[in-house]
Amino acid sequence: MDSPCIKICEIDEGRGLCLGCGRTRAEIARWTSYSDSERRTIMTTLAQRLADSGALLAASTPSDITN
């Protein structure tokens, strides 16, 4: 199962996003319940979410996040 987790698990309370992967708490909690298609769709938004939030992204592209 693909996951964007990069083991930097800290939620920005103001924005509600994980500073490591860009997912919301709800997405993190439901991750294993999502279909592969749903996970891929979410993963395509994460880099932009982090950029829009001003958070630093440790990986340079979404494909780097999946491994």
Side-chain angles (χ1 to χ4, degrees), residues 11 15-18 22-29 34 46 49:
I11 301 293
R15 294 179 178 94
L17 298 176
C18 174
R23 292 180 291 174
T24 65
R25 287 181 192 266
E27 289 168 340
I28 292 166
Y34 290 138
L46 299 178
R49 281 186 198 179

Side-chain angles (χ1 to χ4, degrees), residues 10-45:
E10 184 179 340
I11 301 293
D12 179 321
E13 296 298 332
R15 294 179 178 94
L17 298 176
C18 174
L19 296 175
C21 68
R23 292 180 291 174
T24 65
R25 287 181 192 266
E27 289 168 340
I28 292 166
R30 295 183 188 125
W31 196 251
T32 59
S33 300
Y34 290 138
S35 68
D36 289 341
S37 176
E38 289 170 316
R39 284 191 294 272
R40 280 191 299 273
T41 297
I42 292 167
M43 289 173 66
T44 63
T45 69

